Structures are given as structure tokens and as C-alpha cells.
Amino acid sequence: MLYGVVLAGGTGTRLWPLSRAGHPKFLHPLTGTEASLLQATVDRLDILTSPDRVFVVTGVAHAAAVSRQLSAMPEDNVLVEPSPRDSCAAIALAAAVIARRDPEAIMGSFASDHLIADKEAFSDVIRSAMAGAREGLLMTLGITPTRPETGYGYLQCGGSVGDGPLLKVEEFKEKPTYEVAEGYVKSGNYLWNAGMFVWRVESFLAELHRQQPQLAAGISRIAQAWGTAEQEEVMGDVWPTLPKISVDYAVMEGAAAAGRVGTVPGDFGWNDVGDFHTLGEVLTADQAGNVVVGHDAAERHPVLLRETEGLVVVPSSGRLVAAMGVRDLVIVDTPDAVLVCPRERAQEVKQLVDQLKELGQHGYI
């Protein structure tokens, strides 16, 4: 049975002003149902594992909210980071804690803010990835590209591994230009890098030790103290000294160069909910292509649209939001901030957050 690890960090700056540091996007119901993105992520693991084998790594500020939203999961399975150290430290902490409990464990690491339409197909891909993990490979899930996307990293794939769907990963590629992305898609040798991983904990920790000995040593010290009276003291001493680096840079790129990374191509309706334009594409729209975001949002927050097309409206202030004669806009109304921008520029919203930081307006962030 799989051990599931969900990374619940980040503030989702491209979904500002809905997503804030104190209440980031993974805690919001942006799935078209009552479930938050975090709850939906955990729910889709239920046919692969049990609640006692699911762990969430999150920050101090969000630990209580995570526990409230995931009441079926043991409270001790919420692993709290004293400060953000990027994905490698978070994943390594979970791997080391799981290894103490079950040294033979296979774990899967998943982001808390992805939408997946086909749960059964997703589970089948994970099972295939687990087969690769049993052979000692570090498995990453690849998404079959549907367009030349510049917002994702890519996996350059090599030959098959065995008789199944497994492929070797030759190289991790950075987010490309549109022209380069076109070439990737046309070649048929590239997959989108979804940032989801499956491996035996001992295989990952061994590779971490080979490539990142300082980080591995620190995590080992924390794991040895885990569950003891010294846990908080050791965590407080060691965690700030860990390198702040993503798991792709720290482990996966070097492991791929050594022939130790595999992938399973997936087509299960995956979407990285990065901005409001993306939400408008994946949630149910009216006949004119307008989307009102949030479960029963229009019932709780009045919205009046007249002769509009392609709007993404996020009403969360209780005020009436009205629009007339406009198209392809994002309109976000919160109690203390209103955002209006063209949908095509939705990815640039994080620049407004950067500007607020420069102005010292941290209360809006």
C-alpha cells in the first residue's frame, strides 16, 4: 500500500487577492465542489492508501487549518515546517519519517493544488509508477502534452523499461520558449513535468545522501529525534540550516543523468491551478463562457452579468458584483481588495503582489 505525502505550501500569488499568505489557495474550494483543493488531493488517494498512511507537510501558519480540513487523518501526520525550505527538504522530511515507520515503504509525493478529472486513471498510473519504484527507480509522473505550454517544465524521455508503460527519463527541461515547446510536442519524446513522484523511501534517501549530503545529514538528525522529547529542539536547531532547494534541482536532475529516473505517461485530466484564467478553463461555464468561482458562490455572493462573455468572476466579499458589455476579464472581489485584469494576463498577477511587497503593503498579501 502506498504512503501518500501532500505538500501544502506556498501562497499562490497568481491567485491574489483570493489566495493570501494566511489562507492560501490549497485551503479554498476551487474544485467546483465543496472540497478544497487540499481535501480533493487527499480524497483521490483513498483507493491507493488509508488515512493513517497520508502525511501533509505544511507551514506553522496553516497547520491548524490543515488539521481541521482533514479530520479523518491522524493529527500527528501533519508534519509542520518551522519555515519554508522549498520542496526537497519537505519531501525528505516526510520520507525520513515514513522510513522510521516502514523502511520498505513506497511513497508518493503530490502537490496540494492540482486538479485531476479522472481519479481511476490517475490511480492506474500511480500503480504503474509503484512497479517502477519497486525496481529502485525514482519515478516521476509525466503528462502527455496537449499543446506547446511555456508554463511547465518538461521531461525528455528515452526508451521503455520492461514491457509496461514505463519510460526512462533522460533529462529534466526548464520551462521553454513557445518555439522550443512546439518542438518538444511535435517530437513526441517529451512529457509535461507534473511535479508528482513515486519511489521507495530508501531509494530516495540514498540518492539524497549521494547528491545532497548536508541536507541528508540534517534530515537524518531530525528523523532520529522524531517522536521524542527532543523533536522540537532538534527541529529548531537543524531546519534553518537546510539548503533551500527544489527536489528537481537537488535530486531528480542528477538522478536522471545517472539513469535512475523513470516515468509513466499520464492522461487523467491533470491541471495545475496556477491562475484565474486556468480556473476559467477547468470549471463549468455558462452558455456565454462566464465562470463564477466557488461552490455555490453565486448563491452566497450575488453576481449580475449582462452581455458578457468569457469572464472569470470570484465573488467573496458579500457585495453584489455586476458587469456589463465586457469580455475575457478576471474580476475578483474580496473584502479588502478588488482585482480586474484581462484573462490573457492572469499569470502576471504575481507582479502586483511583488509591487505590494515593495510598497510595504504586507497587510494585503
Side-chain angles (χ1 to χ4, degrees), residues 287-346:
Q287 289 185 333
N290 301 307
V291 172
V292 178
V293 176
H295 180 65
D296 295 332
E299 296 178 14
R300 295 180 287 108
H301 307 280
V303 176
L304 180 62
L305 304 179
R306 184 176 177 85
E307 298 173 9
T308 62
E309 294 180 34
L311 300 190
V312 178
V313 182
V314 187
S316 61
S317 70
R319 290 182 294 231
L320 168 68
V321 176
M324 182 173 67
V326 292
R327 59 182 298 168
D328 299 328
L329 293 179
V330 172
I331 302 172
V332 185
D333 182 37
T334 71
D336 65 342
V338 177
L339 168 73
V340 181
C341 77
R343 283 185 62 164
E344 66 183 14
R345 299 187 66 179

Side-chain angles (χ1 to χ4, degrees), residues 113-241:
D113 55 0
H114 292 175
L115 285 176
I116 288 174
D118 191 336
K119 178 178 173 179
E120 294 290 340
F122 169 76
S123 299
D124 288 343
V125 170
I126 296 298
R127 292 188 186 101
S128 295
M130 290 174 71
R134 291 187 191 100
E135 300 300 318
L137 290 172
L138 304 185
M139 299 297 297
T140 181
L141 270 60
I143 305 298
T144 304
T146 57
R147 61 186 182 278
E149 174 60 59
T150 60
Y152 303 147
Y154 285 73
L155 307 172
Q156 182 181 351
C157 299
S160 298
V161 180
D163 298 326
L166 273 63
L167 301 171
K168 273 291 181 74
V169 173
E170 294 183 349
E171 195 172 347
F172 283 70
K173 297 289 189 178
E174 295 290 329
K175 296 175 183 178
T177 63
Y178 186 83
E179 292 74 17
V180 171
E182 272 190 317
Y184 287 170
V185 175
K186 287 177 182 177
S187 76
N189 295 328
Y190 292 80
L191 301 171
W192 286 338
N193 178 9
M196 294 184 277
F197 308 101
V198 178
W199 47 54
R200 292 174 64 183
V201 289
E202 65 176 6
S203 299
F204 173 75
L205 292 171
E207 192 65 18
L208 182 72
H209 180 75
R210 183 179 78 88
Q211 295 193 58
Q212 303 290 332
Q214 179 193 346
L215 201 159
I219 289 294
S220 179
R221 277 189 62 197
I222 293 170
Q224 287 169 12
W226 201 261
T228 72
E230 287 78 40
Q231 176 181 323
E232 286 193 21
E233 181 182 353
V234 173
M235 188 73 155
D237 289 343
V238 176
W239 191 261
T241 71

Side-chain angles (χ1 to χ4, degrees), residues 350-365:
K350 61 183 178 181
Q351 296 177 12
L352 295 174
V353 178
D354 292 339
Q355 190 172 353
L356 286 169
K357 291 177 182 176
E358 292 172 5
L359 295 171
Q361 298 288 343
H362 297 285
Y364 291 109
I365 301 171

Side-chain angles (χ1 to χ4, degrees), residues 27-41:
L27 295 173
H28 288 273
L30 303 178
T31 61
T33 71
E34 292 182 0
S36 70
L37 288 169
L38 172 64
Q39 289 169 323
T41 302

